[in-house]
Amino acid sequence: MIQTRIIPRTPSAYDPPLIIKMLFNQVTKYNPQREIVYRDLFRMNYTTFDKRVRQLANVLTEIGVKGGDTVAVMDWDSHRYLECFFAIPCLGAVLHTINVRLSPAQILYTMNHADDKVVIVHEDFVPIIEAIKDQLTTVEKFIIVSDKVYQDPNAPLVETSFRLEGEYESLLSNASDQYDFSDFDENSLATTFYTTGTTGNPKGVYFSHRQLVMHTFCLLAYFPGYRALPLDHRDVYMPITPLFHVHGWGFPYLATMLNFKQVYPGRYEPEMLLRLLLKEKVTFSHCVPTILNMLVNSPVAKQVDLSKWSVLIGGSALTKGLAKAALELGINVTQGYGMSETAPIMSVVHMTDEQLQLSIDEQLPFRTKAGKIAPFVELDIIDDDGNSLPHDGDAVGELVARGPWMSQGYYKDAEASEKLWAGGWLHTGDVAAIGTDYYVTIADRVKDVIKTGGEWVSSLDIENLLSQVEGVAESAVIGFPDPRWGERPHAILVIKPDYQGKLTPEGIKAGLQARVDSGEINKWYVPDNIKFVPEIPKTSVGKIDKKRIRVEMKELILGH
């Protein structure tokens, strides 16, 4: 340890901890008149938001929530969810954002594993609770959430066989809007959620107050004044990433602190998303490629002006085909990179003024990179022996990371935590290159790289090629064992409705082969099989699920 001189502390001096209370204390300072909107059902300004967060804190305190208790939320993206983002951790309790797209058995596991004490549940998810309530081991109380109350305050609530503490809006209206949040240790647990990227039970990822405040500071340093997606207080923010997925990528904390106008769409429905986008004049969103693809291919998208809308893509790779389709509609689309375990930001594309002057086709290689390393983040690439590789844009290895907001491990899983942080770096499981310009290019997931004919072939590169075929909506490429070549790539494609019957697997393969013959691409990039499918299996957060594809579609893809 280096010897340092510690600044002497005056006994009466205030040494504020980095806790979410610090972010919340800003909400009425700058533009409190700006609105927080929920669908076409509810709207309020930040002064009201401040009061409602304190009312929720009083409600939870009244029903027995104390520091260290876990409060779970099962809701669509809403103003209520945003209130929970602040009220629960500001109490010193732990916010568990439940992934409502998991199976009932998986949800049961996560609730018991997280030691949930209170559950705030939307009435749409009551059937899930009914199915598992007798197996819940720690849950003591439930608060029901309903959208009906905004249309008819006297509307009856859904009937439940389990006891309710009351309905959310009714409880808030009867609670005091005065609550003085206390200070506590900044390393206190603030949030937890569960990731399902591997086999077995979901893994609990957790974050401290300090980590979430530092992540918010990173976004604050990176995005306002940022060349690709410049954000400021005039922006209108609508997340299209579920709030249960890595705290909505951290942007709700930033948007609330800076008093952005915020729009929460509830259940994701294409018509509602586009209606809110236009009516509320949304300027910034983030989502996985699946959602953007759905919106870009909506008939309405070609009839409206989307030129004021910027979209950050994450979760899965942004293909050049999807990026081009979005840019041609006027959408300012770009890509970021992160993981659940990294809170999630590790890098974001940073376009220069010169690059922004290029044609759409010339911009695609820049916009579809994983991005430039974010402030305060360290990234490295290593070989199989853990040796660091050159950051020259050519060397490829496993990407490892360090940063002040990255999860310290997996909840109650010491073995997996040690594996995650082997060698003092967080292991992403991605294969990447890092350039001298600090740009990261993801080659593939370690388990998805295809070794064929002695060459390492990226499934993402092949997906990129297929995405640029006119009429292809989505693509997924996986490797299957091959007796001659070790492995060979195979592809499944979703074809746009207007191109049904016009495209054939043989025609697409011939097009790729022509590019091989011209020397444009490597011969190993032509899939052995191309199959058309109505949809590609996705995970609960909208990523292409290659694990399911390998198991469930093997016979279809291989034809035997």
Side-chain angles (χ1 to χ4, degrees):
M1 293 288 288
I2 296 175
Q3 288 283 8
T4 60
R5 292 178 63 189
I6 305 298
I7 296 174
R9 186 176 185 276
T10 303
S12 58
Y14 178 46
D15 184 17
L18 297 181
I19 56 178
I20 291 172
K21 167 190 169 182
M22 178 181 288
L23 306 180
F24 179 65
N25 284 346
Q26 317 308 313
V27 301
T28 58
K29 280 186 180 177
Y30 304 110
N31 293 280
Q33 76 285 355
R34 302 211 78 190
E35 291 185 308
I36 298 171
V37 179
Y38 175 53
R39 293 176 78 90
D40 50 2
L41 297 174
F42 182 89
R43 55 205 314 135
M44 63 179 164
N45 62 25
Y46 276 87
T47 301
T48 301
F49 173 77
D50 177 89
K51 293 178 179 178
R52 285 173 59 91
V53 169
R54 297 178 195 277
Q55 286 174 313
L56 177 56
N58 278 310
V59 168
L60 295 173
T61 301
E62 183 65 27
I63 65 173
V65 173
K66 303 182 297 298
D69 289 339
T70 301
V71 179
V73 178
M74 300 177 72
D75 193 9
W76 304 112
D77 288 4
S78 71
H79 60 297
R80 299 172 299 244
Y81 222 138
L82 185 65
E83 290 157 4
C84 291
F85 266 41
F86 288 88
I88 294 168
C90 282
L91 281 173
V94 181
L95 168 66
H96 175 197
T97 53
I98 291 180
N99 182 344
V100 295
R101 295 176 184 165
L102 296 178
S103 69
Q106 288 174 316
I107 289 175
L108 171 67
Y109 172 82
T110 67
M111 293 176 75
N112 286 339
H113 192 264
D115 304 313
D116 292 346
K117 180 176 180 179
V118 173
V119 183
I120 299 173
V121 56
H122 192 288
E123 61 185 2
D124 288 356
F125 305 119
V126 164
I128 297 175
I129 299 298
E130 292 286 6
I132 65 175
K133 67 180 190 304
D134 294 334
Q135 301 171 71
L136 292 171
T137 56
T138 60
V139 174
E140 299 174 4
K141 297 178 180 178
F142 295 90
I143 293 173
I144 198 76
V145 163
S146 173
D147 288 347
K148 296 174 188 171
V149 299
Y150 302 123
Q151 298 160 318
D152 179 6
N154 299 314
L157 298 175
V158 63
E159 293 185 3
T160 67
S161 63
F162 52 90
R163 182 178 175 274
L164 299 174
E165 297 302 308
E167 184 275 321
Y168 187 95
E169 289 295 339
S170 176
L171 291 169
L172 258 63
S173 65
N174 291 317
S176 168
D177 61 12
Q178 301 297 307
Y179 194 100
D180 185 18
F181 292 112
S182 301
D183 285 350
F184 45 77
D185 192 315
E186 64 186 25
N187 294 304
S188 300
L189 188 61
T191 65
T192 188
F193 57 85
Y194 285 74
T195 180
T196 57
T198 57
T199 56
N201 288 321
K203 287 185 171 63
V205 179
Y206 56 90
F207 295 93
S208 70
H209 282 254
R210 182 181 188 277
Q211 289 171 322
L212 296 182
V213 171
M214 288 299 297
H215 185 266
T216 305
F217 288 172
C218 167
L219 297 180
L220 182 62
Y222 211 7
F223 283 87
Y226 180 66
R227 283 189 176 90
L229 299 176
L231 303 180
D232 64 32
H233 69 278
R234 294 165 294 186
D235 274 289
V236 180
Y237 165 65
M238 181 172 74
I240 320 180
T241 304
L243 294 185
F244 64 70
H245 188 213
V246 206
H247 324 107
W249 298 0
F251 283 98
Y253 284 122
L254 177 70
T256 305
M257 185 182 76
L258 296 182
N259 292 171
F260 287 9
K261 178 179 177 180
Q262 299 187 63
V263 181
Y264 288 88
R267 182 200 293 263
Y268 293 168
E269 300 159 335
E271 289 186 7
M272 176 58 73
L273 291 173
L274 285 168
R275 189 186 319 156
L276 290 170
L277 182 66
L278 299 173
K279 179 184 175 185
E280 304 297 341
K281 298 181 172 56
V282 173
T283 60
F284 173 62
S285 298
H286 48 78
C287 62
V288 296
T290 305
I291 297 292
L292 182 62
N293 189 67
M294 175 183 71
L295 293 172
V296 164
N297 287 301
S298 167
V300 181
K302 296 178 176 60
Q303 303 168 17
V304 297
D305 180 11
L306 298 175
S307 62
K308 301 291 192 296
W309 191 33
S310 294
V311 179
L312 177 66
I313 292 294
S316 296
L318 172 64
T319 64
K320 291 179 180 177
L322 179 56
K324 184 174 183 178
L327 289 167
E328 288 176 341
L329 289 172
I331 302 169
N332 180 18
V333 65
T334 191
Q335 182 164 220
Y337 169 69
M339 301 169 57
S340 295
E341 292 86 347
T342 64
I345 297 295
M346 285 192 277
S347 64
V348 180
V349 168
H350 185 99
M351 299 283 286
T352 65
D353 290 338
E354 292 74 22
Q355 290 165 350
L356 291 170
Q357 299 304 313
L358 298 174
S359 69
I360 286 178
D361 285 336
E362 291 171 320
Q363 288 186 31
L364 294 179
F366 301 104
R367 289 184 180 268
T368 55
K369 286 188 177 183
K372 188 171 290 242
I373 300 173
F376 320 121
V377 169
E378 295 179 68
L379 296 181
D380 197 9
I381 48 174
I382 59 174
D383 62 19
D384 291 343
D385 296 321
N387 300 311
S388 182
L389 297 170
H391 294 193
D392 57 9
D394 294 321
V396 174
E398 186 191 1
L399 190 67
V400 292
R402 291 195 297 218
W405 48 78
M406 297 180 185
S407 179
Q408 294 294 296
Y410 296 113
Y411 190 54
K412 299 180 184 176
D413 194 337
E415 183 178 347
S417 298
E418 283 297 323
K419 185 177 179 181
L420 178 69
W421 278 99
W425 290 83
L426 186 147
H427 290 251
T428 68
D430 288 322
V431 176
I434 300 175
T436 56
D437 56 359
Y438 299 97
Y439 257 98
V440 179
T441 302
I442 303 297
D444 218 334
R445 294 291 292 170
V446 169
K447 61 191 175 188
D448 292 332
V449 174
I450 301 166
K451 189 171 185 179
T452 179
E455 298 280 343
W456 288 102
V457 175
S458 165
S459 65
L460 298 182
D461 285 348
I462 303 175
E463 289 166 5
N464 237 327
L465 290 169
L466 293 168
S467 77
Q468 296 173 71
V469 175
E470 190 172 357
V472 172
E474 288 186 289
S475 61
V477 173
I478 57 172
F480 279 117
D482 183 90
R484 182 179 181 188
W485 302 114
E487 283 186 311
R488 288 292 298 143
H490 301 261
I492 54 175
L493 307 178
V494 175
I495 304 301
K496 296 177 182 178
D498 293 348
Y499 288 81
Q500 297 286 344
K502 299 178 182 178
L503 292 177
T504 64
E506 294 75 21
I508 293 174
K509 283 184 66 174
L512 291 176
Q513 186 59 50
R515 298 177 71 175
V516 171
D517 296 340
S518 69
E520 187 179 347
I521 63 174
N522 190 299
K523 67 178 182 179
W524 305 110
Y525 282 70
V526 181
D528 272 14
N529 283 308
I530 296 178
K531 301 288 186 182
F532 294 169
V533 295
E535 62 179 353
I536 292 175
K538 306 288 197 314
T539 68
S540 60
V541 293
K543 299 179 185 180
I544 291 175
D545 193 339
K546 294 191 176 181
K547 182 172 64 177
R548 280 181 56 198
I549 293 171
R550 287 188 184 94
V551 174
E552 298 176 9
M553 306 187 77
K554 182 176 181 180
E555 187 173 336
L556 167 69
I557 294 170
L558 297 180
H560 57 75

